[in-house]
Amino acid sequence: LKLIQIPDKKELRKWLNTENTFSYIAEDNEQVIAVLKGIRGKDSGTRHAAYLSEATHPDYRNTDTDLALTSFALEDMKQDGVSLARVNVFSDNLVSLKTLLSLGFTISGTVFRHHYSEKIQQYVDDFILHKLL
């Protein structure tokens, strides 16, 4: 899952209200703890697929939040005609990989040494994952 920095609620609203998107929020005590966005293809030949990205508050990583939010979003998108979900995940993001694999995603490609990880001080691959809905 792609984690991004959203500076304020105004930017969050803009991020959520984009054409051809599905947007979902998880809250805890009225605090936004995770946001998931699915961007759907615009023409008739690509409307079946959605590219997912998610941002989760650091205090809620390694919890069931991502699993619950992603499961809910996938089912909702399926009801709206999306039949394929795709996501890119850095190979050192083991928590996200574990979550996605447990939801039935499969690794279908790799972009070799795509990103430099400051945390581990080396280049990591970018895995491409898909799930048929």
Side-chain angles (χ1 to χ4, degrees):
L1 297 170
K2 181 178 180 182
L3 300 176
I4 63 169
Q5 180 69 33
I6 302 173
D8 55 41
K9 286 187 178 183
K10 182 179 178 182
E11 184 65 24
L12 175 61
R13 282 188 196 95
K14 179 181 171 185
W15 192 74
L16 292 173
N17 294 319
T18 306
E19 186 181 356
N20 294 316
T21 63
F22 297 88
S23 302
Y24 309 90
I25 295 175
E27 292 183 314
D28 185 23
N29 295 322
E30 297 186 30
Q31 176 187 357
V32 174
I33 60 172
V35 179
L36 186 144
K37 183 175 183 178
I39 302 173
R40 171 185 235 170
K42 293 182 181 181
D43 63 44
S44 62
T46 60
R47 289 187 54 77
H48 71 288
Y51 177 78
L52 308 181
S53 58
E54 185 171 352
T56 303
H57 188 283
D59 293 346
Y60 290 86
R61 295 178 189 154
N62 283 324
T63 68
D64 289 339
T65 301
D66 292 329
L67 181 66
L69 182 60
T70 306
S71 295
F72 178 84
L74 291 173
E75 184 57 36
D76 186 65
M77 285 184 268
K78 180 179 178 181
Q79 297 302 316
D80 203 277
V82 173
S83 61
L84 175 71
R86 183 184 71 217
V87 63
N88 290 23
V89 180
F90 295 135
S91 59
D92 64 334
N93 188 344
L94 301 179
V95 173
S96 292
L97 287 169
K98 180 180 176 185
T99 298
L100 291 167
L101 292 172
S102 75
L103 289 169
F105 279 81
T106 58
I107 297 173
S108 56
T110 304
V111 180
F112 183 67
R113 294 176 49 103
H114 184 255
H115 170 75
Y116 187 78
S117 171
E118 292 292 336
K119 182 178 178 181
I120 62 174
Q121 299 291 301
Q122 65 183 17
Y123 286 94
V124 296
D125 298 337
D126 191 7
F127 292 144
I128 304 164
L129 292 92
H130 288 86
K131 177 182 172 77
L132 292 174
L133 305 182

